[in-house]
Amino acid sequence: MHEALMKTIEAKMEAAGLLPIKKQAELSTRILKERLEVILPWAMEKSGMDFWIIAARENCKDPILKTLYPWDMYDSRRIGILAFHRNKENGAIRKMVIGSYSSEMESIYERVQGANESVWEAIGRIVKECNPSKIALNRSLIDGFCDGLSSTMYEQLKDALGENAAKLCDGEPLTVRWLQRVSPMEKETMKTLVNITHDIVNYSFSKQFIKVGETTTTDIEWFMRDVINRLGFLYWFGPDIDLQRKGSNVSRMFNEVILPGDLIHCDVGINGIYVQLHTDMQWVAYILKDGETEAPKEFEDLLAKGNRLQDIVRENIKVCATGNDVFFNSINTAKAEGINPMIYTHPLGTFGHGSGPRIGQYGKQEFIPGAGERPIEDKTCYALELNVSDNIKLWDGQLVFMYLEEDICKDGTVDFLYGRQEKLMLV
């Protein structure tokens, strides 16, 4: 199955420590330790939380645990509790495990449960000894990945903590920061993952795979899935392949045979088995007609407008601005420049639709309460997702959309993790 493509991608994955799977597991442990050292102290201090409890039971896994459990601890066994205490005087974080644990956790977490203690007796004692001011729990009205504490375990925790239960609070200010910031090692790994995603799209949107007049958009979707699965990775989104065609009033046509003159578009994101990072990208290709050697100028001009909108959004992603600030400033600038914009950019990393400020929403180009009001933070990745549209004379005034998405990182400046599409791909 397209062996040259597979060998190229596998070589990149091996160099980045993502293959074989044992190396990916080892990388995930190094990333976890780095995150606990460089991100958790910042997140706890910034949020004002000096204690954090993550409690879950088997088959009722808190989503956030995949960022805190090592590779050999996929789920809680019976009942598992992680607890973190920040020393206010020196900022040091005590990292504790109560209940179920794995061998890989031995080098990461301190086991604090006594031989004759239940998990509830242990967490009650530890909280009393640490005497924190605010205890964060994973509860949130906005994001599911910050809302992993079950109602049953909430009641059990309150009983276990006794008078200290009065210190319990929704941990969203902490959990959002913990999830949205990427560590140095994660950023470098993200670059490789984005590069691999580009390789998959470049090959799938080429004559090496597409036979014009025979291949369907669905054929490409299944080919991408096969490649991703063979690499030992997962796809969290799509792959979705659609097209636009002259004479159609449907802006995203699915399960269609690809014909000359079509604009084809992909939306695909991959993620690892043990390395909890996601990509998300959308690129566009033009299917050449007989005698054509390049795409019509109107389509290239529309892509250029999309690139300009990307730059406008990047220019507005600034620390202290909110997601809504970035959205409205970008929309207003684009419209003033004659661009017809739609922006729906979101944080990216541990989750595909990730934690942090949302910048617009597809089909809802307006103020976003909650997630849109969050401030921009440094060291955060985003899927720079947007589209521009225009009436194309070549297609008798038909409204055509240019759907684009690239992965970027706000780390001082706002840069593409591995370049962007600036020319239409040609098939």
Side-chain angles (χ1 to χ4, degrees):
M1 178 186 129
H2 306 273
E3 293 302 323
L5 169 68
M6 301 306 299
K7 288 179 179 178
T8 297
I9 295 177
E10 286 170 353
K12 292 178 180 179
M13 293 177 68
E14 288 173 5
L18 295 166
L19 275 182
I21 196 71
K22 180 175 182 288
K23 294 294 184 182
Q24 187 181 145
E26 292 168 352
L27 174 61
S28 72
T29 298
R30 294 197 302 274
I31 286 174
L32 172 57
K33 290 179 177 179
E34 181 181 62
R35 287 183 57 81
L36 291 171
E37 290 302 316
V38 304
I39 295 177
L40 186 58
W42 165 82
M44 294 189 77
E45 180 181 17
K46 189 91 170 178
S47 63
M49 309 284 184
D50 54 339
F51 208 93
W52 185 20
I53 297 175
I54 304 95
R57 61 182 178 181
E58 195 166 354
N59 300 318
C60 190
K61 182 180 177 181
D62 186 326
I64 219 167
L65 277 176
K66 73 177 185 177
T67 71
L68 292 163
Y69 274 173
W71 64 268
D72 65 342
M73 189 73 175
Y74 177 76
D75 197 356
S76 298
R77 299 165 192 162
R78 299 183 181 90
I79 293 176
I81 298 175
L82 294 178
F84 301 92
H85 176 235
R86 179 178 181 272
N87 186 307
K88 293 179 182 178
E89 294 182 4
N90 59 21
I93 306 292
R94 187 180 180 190
K95 304 176 284 290
M96 298 166 277
V97 59
I98 298 170
S100 56
Y101 63 93
S102 69
S103 58
E104 195 76 3
M105 295 174 79
E106 296 279 4
S107 66
I108 303 171
Y109 296 110
E110 173 190 356
R111 291 168 57 188
V112 294
Q113 185 177 356
N116 299 312
E117 280 186 317
S118 70
V119 292
W120 305 115
E121 289 169 338
I123 189 62
R125 172 179 58 80
I126 288 297
V127 169
K128 187 175 182 179
E129 290 173 1
C130 294
N131 191 29
S133 301
K134 296 179 73 174
I135 305 171
L137 295 178
N138 293 353
R139 292 168 24 121
S140 168
L141 290 171
I142 299 174
D143 292 313
F145 41 64
C146 295
D147 190 37
L149 182 67
S150 72
S151 60
T152 301
M153 299 206 84
Y154 179 56
E155 295 300 326
Q156 290 175 297
L157 272 173
K158 287 197 298 183
D159 289 343
L161 267 54
E163 62 183 18
N164 279 315
K167 301 175 182 178
L168 294 172
C169 56
D170 294 352
E172 187 179 289
L174 166 59
T175 53
V176 166
R177 289 184 171 93
W178 165 251
L179 289 173
Q180 79 175 73
R181 177 164 280 198
V182 295
S183 71
M185 206 178 300
E186 286 180 302
K187 182 180 176 182
E188 289 306 307
T189 304
M190 278 286 287
K191 290 178 181 179
T192 299
L193 295 176
V194 172
N195 182 214
I196 290 167
T197 310
H198 289 181
D199 285 343
I200 295 170
V201 175
N202 276 321
Y203 191 93
S204 304
F205 275 18
S206 74
K207 290 182 179 179
Q208 292 171 287
F209 181 76
I210 294 175
K211 292 180 174 57
V212 178
E214 296 180 25
T215 304
T216 69
T217 54
T218 307
D219 291 335
I220 301 176
E221 292 174 347
W222 280 111
F223 174 71
M224 287 184 170
R225 293 181 186 116
D226 284 340
V227 171
I228 294 165
N229 281 328
R230 183 171 164 184
L231 292 168
F233 269 54
L234 304 170
Y235 44 88
W236 77 273
F237 192 87
D240 287 345
I241 311 297
D242 59 84
L243 60 81
Q244 296 176 80
R245 177 173 292 156
K246 182 178 180 180
S248 172
N249 60 0
V250 179
S251 63
R252 295 188 66 186
M253 301 170 65
F254 291 92
N255 198 26
E256 293 282 341
V257 174
I258 295 168
L259 300 176
D262 288 344
L263 276 175
I264 62 172
H265 158 261
C266 71
D267 193 347
V268 58
I270 67 173
N271 58 287
I273 299 295
Y274 296 131
V275 172
Q276 303 295 338
L277 294 168
H278 296 65
T279 67
D280 197 4
M281 61 169 290
Q282 298 180 46
W283 279 10
V284 183
Y286 176 73
I287 311 302
L288 294 167
K289 295 179 180 179
D290 288 343
E292 288 184 323
T293 57
E294 57 186 26
K297 185 176 183 301
E298 282 184 287
F299 291 149
E300 291 289 4
D301 289 346
L302 188 56
L303 175 60
K305 288 184 178 180
N307 288 157
R308 174 56 188 147
L309 181 57
Q310 290 173 333
D311 291 339
I312 291 170
V313 177
R314 289 168 58 216
E315 290 163 6
N316 281 291
I317 294 178
K318 301 174 182 178
V319 172
C320 295
T322 66
N324 288 323
D325 292 336
V326 177
F327 171 74
F328 284 111
N329 290 339
S330 300
I331 285 288
N332 292 337
T333 298
K335 288 181 176 179
E337 293 184 14
I339 297 171
N340 186 22
M342 185 183 291
I343 300 169
Y344 33 105
T345 291
H346 56 85
L348 180 75
T350 302
F351 294 91
H353 290 146
S355 174
R358 189 171 300 147
I359 303 170
Q361 184 173 315
Y362 187 84
K364 191 176 182 181
Q365 297 288 281
E366 57 191 57
F367 181 91
I368 304 296
E373 297 175 275
R374 290 176 179 151
I376 301 294
E377 299 277 8
D378 236 347
K379 298 176 175 60
T380 301
C381 293
Y382 294 88
L384 180 56
E385 188 175 11
L386 46 80
N387 74 64
V388 295
S389 59
D390 212 344
N391 298 102
I392 301 299
K393 295 178 182 178
L394 183 66
W395 281 14
D396 301 326
Q398 182 175 323
L399 185 64
V400 172
F401 292 83
M402 196 63 65
Y403 299 100
L404 301 174
E405 186 171 18
E406 303 286 0
D407 297 341
I408 60 175
C409 189
K410 170 72 175 82
D411 190 0
T413 57
V414 183
D415 300 313
F416 294 99
L417 281 166
Y418 207 91
R420 67 171 169 184
Q421 181 178 17
E422 296 183 336
K423 293 285 290 183
L424 285 170
M425 304 168 72
L426 301 176
V427 181

